[in-house]
Amino acid sequence: MFGIGNMYNKDIEKIFNEIALMLSLNETPTSKFEIRAYQKAAFTIGTLQEPIEDIYKRGGAKALMELPGIGKTIAMHIEEYIKTGKIKKYEELKRKYPINMSELTSLTGMGAKKAIVLYKQLGIKNIEDLKKAIEEHKIEKLEKFGERSEDLIRRGIEIYEKSKGRMLLGDVFPIADNIVEKLLSSGLIDKIMVAGSIRRMRETVGDLDILAISDKQTQVMDFFISLNNVDKIVSKGPTKTTVWLKDGLSCDLRVIEPKSFGAAVQYFTGSKEHNIELRQIAISKGYKLNEYGLFDKRGKNIGGSDEKSIYEQLGLQYIPPEMREGRGELELAKEHKIPKIVELSDIQGDLHTHTKETDGANTIEEMVNEAKKLHYKYVAITNHTKSLKVAHGMNDNQFEEFFARMNKIDFGNIKVLKGAEVDILENGSLDLKDKTLEEMDCVVAAIHSKFSMSEDEMTVRVIKAFETGLVNIFAHPTGRLIGMREPYKINIEKVAEAAERNNVVLEINSFPNRLDLNDSNILLLSKYNIKFSIDTDSHRTTHLYYMRLGVGMARRGWLTKDKIINTLEYNQLMKILKK
DNA sequence: GCCGTTTTCGGCCCGACTGTTTTCAGTCG
């Protein structure tokens, strides 16, 4: 599932996006829409829940054509790629423009047209070439480029290299909070809100979108660019100012009129795909929707101050930001069938945490106290087991001793569950004696070694572990680390089937670089009758606050409270955890 | 190139800001 198979999706998505970019170079009146068609097809493929070759194998080109935005021509391209590994149309365009288009256009301010000017004038094919040209100050001498362009491209490359364009959601939150706090402290702002992908809780964030109401536009913008976190001003106007932050992230501040605030919040929260669909619904009802409001046929403003009412006026149920990804949520909203998705306040405890005994930074007392501050009813302490030597994993005796010590501690008004994050060994057995595991309240099992097995081997390994009957929760099921490590190859659907049979709960790990399962995994598995647990995998007290990230993933995966075991009261939870 | 309870042809989301210019194309979200 996450192995070779999904690579086709990524490759084809990239190829279609590149075709779109290259088509934009010799734009004729009709090709503008051809460009859009390829972009739309790329989006569809990029968000598919299963390998595209599976769809093709199942129903051929006909099945492909049932996907949104994919017609005869594009289906043929996909077929060609699956059969030959190549797409003729792409190869031809590539011969004409032999440059790394997706890499170059990922730079801020760089689109296809500028990229091709650089190629034709200086032979620049990729970011490496571009870096050299900048060092030699060749860019500023080009027509249509100036000193400022060169400067912005230089900074764009730095940011690209630092973060490959996006930062982890968990890293961006504090940055956003800090800016909001400072802006509010200026006393110039009546209302402020962070929109964009951070509001939708995407696992990585490309930039910050902050919206504010103020009658002192110029002063607000001047205050904004004077913040000490601002590295460079990209653009500055009365309604929109863009800066680069020292953290390596770009940040937009928009000052909005009160009567347009809801429309702006809706618009800048996105996603782009959601908004396009929403505008089409507006058009079908004879309205026009933009970031200033909702307008009727005569251009009369009929809404916009309040985000919720925009959805209502379009005959739609309100859609939580995390669901706004163009994945069918608008159809549900039309039928008023948007599920009541889980909220952070539903969470009653954390079932995956570590202490000093292994690789945690805090004592059990410190961890439990912090959990109490969050008003949790319970917390499970789940230290590593002996095979994980780097984390000082404990053996059976050490667990016995640790649990004996726990028995003597008065934790007060919170239940502290005895547990472990037990390694699933290469052969699918668990890293502790059955007896030790049987005595625990909460056994979390995980893969920490031998990541490079084949998909079949890994799937069998995990299912074997489930079949011991001793596993409560399967932690970070795909093993990916965002920006660092690909998921191991595993058939996650077979794992879900086994989880269903063996009453194993799948984890939604909230750690910022894990977020595993992620939203697409969750949506893919929604057809199985399984439960999830949203845990932080905390290694210090501050990590307990990552819970909101995991809840964000769950919300993006449309999960309701009843699917998540750590929303239960203690007694109910223990029934589920019983072996 | 895709698509259809307005359509198998004629539509396809829309506005702000920039740079290098003298009226706008390119880029972004």
Side-chain angles (χ1 to χ4, degrees), chain A residues 62 105 416:
Chain A
K62 215 169 177 183
T105 54
V416 182

Side-chain angles (χ1 to χ4, degrees), chain A residues 155-220:
Chain A
R155 185 74 184 112
I157 292 175
E158 280 171 30
I159 288 183
Y160 172 83
E161 292 188 333
K162 197 171 162 187
S163 59
K164 291 279 181 239
R166 298 184 77 84
M167 280 177 78
L168 295 177
L169 177 65
D171 293 337
V172 175
F173 256 122
I175 299 169
D177 288 347
N178 180 263
I179 292 176
V180 166
E181 203 175 296
K182 282 184 180 155
L183 286 170
L184 279 174
S185 76
S186 73
L188 298 164
I189 284 169
D190 299 324
K191 196 169 179 179
I192 191 159
M193 181 134 186
V194 179
S197 50
I198 192 169
R199 184 166 179 239
R200 302 199 317 278
M201 300 293 279
R202 266 195 66 173
E203 59 190 36
T204 59
V205 175
D207 57 10
L208 283 179
D209 289 295
I210 302 177
L211 309 180
I213 296 179
S214 171
D215 50 12
K216 304 184 188 70
Q217 286 182 326
T218 321
Q219 281 169 271
V220 170

Side-chain angles (χ1 to χ4, degrees), chain A residues 384-403:
Chain A
H384 288 292
T385 57
K386 59 183 191 292
S387 290
L388 199 60
K389 300 223 161 45
V390 283
H392 310 107
M394 304 197 294
N395 61 29
D396 294 86
N397 283 339
Q398 288 167 315
F399 271 101
E400 298 290 350
E401 285 166 24
F402 182 56
F403 292 155

Side-chain angles (χ1 to χ4, degrees), chain A residues 272-334:
Chain A
K272 195 173 146 198
E273 289 73 23
H274 174 89
N275 285 356
I276 288 173
E277 276 188 59
L278 190 66
R279 282 183 184 210
Q280 278 160 353
I281 290 171
I283 290 168
S284 73
K285 294 192 179 296
Y287 298 142
K288 187 177 88 161
L289 178 66
N290 59 27
E291 59 263 53
Y292 297 104
L294 188 62
F295 301 89
D296 70 9
K297 285 191 188 83
R298 280 164 297 183
K300 186 167 170 274
N301 186 331
I302 55 167
S305 63
D306 175 62
E307 188 186 40
K308 252 184 189 150
S309 64
I310 291 172
Y311 285 92
E312 280 162 16
Q313 280 172 289
L314 293 171
L316 300 167
Q317 191 180 0
Y318 177 73
I319 302 171
E322 295 91 336
M323 290 182 68
R324 301 182 197 167
E325 293 289 347
R327 295 195 275 215
E329 69 277 7
L330 283 158
E331 281 74 38
L332 286 188
K334 271 182 205 166

Side-chain angles (χ1 to χ4, degrees), chain A residues 367-485:
Chain A
M367 293 299 284
V368 172
N369 272 332
E370 202 68 28
K372 278 158 99 173
K373 284 187 200 160
L374 289 164
H375 305 291
Y376 283 166
K377 305 272 171 37
Y378 45 83
V379 57
I381 307 296
T382 55
N383 275 312
H384 288 292
T385 57
K386 59 183 191 292
S387 290
L388 199 60
K389 300 223 161 45
V390 283
H392 310 107
M394 304 197 294
N395 61 29
D396 294 86
N397 283 339
Q398 288 167 315
F399 271 101
E400 298 290 350
E401 285 166 24
F402 182 56
F403 292 155
R405 188 160 82 75
M406 280 174 73
N407 284 337
K408 291 182 189 147
I409 305 172
D410 177 12
F411 291 112
N413 194 23
I414 185 170
K415 301 284 185 187
V416 182
L417 277 60
K418 298 187 182 83
E421 180 182 6
V422 60
D423 264 52
I424 299 174
L425 304 177
E426 193 177 351
N427 62 5
S429 66
L430 300 172
D431 192 27
L432 290 175
K433 289 180 185 149
D434 287 2
K435 183 172 164 290
T436 315
L437 294 167
E438 277 161 12
E439 284 168 10
M440 293 184 189
D441 302 307
C442 180
V443 174
V444 176
I447 300 284
H448 290 118
S449 61
K450 298 270 175 191
F451 294 112
S452 51
M453 288 180 151
S454 73
E455 180 176 315
D456 286 347
E457 284 172 332
M458 186 63 91
T459 308
V460 168
R461 174 184 179 184
V462 168
I463 293 174
K464 259 190 172 167
F466 288 5
E467 287 170 350
T468 62
L470 296 166
V471 174
N472 294 123
I473 298 172
F474 181 38
H476 38 76
T478 79
R480 67 99 177 243
L481 297 175
I482 301 171
M484 284 171 67
R485 188 173 73 205

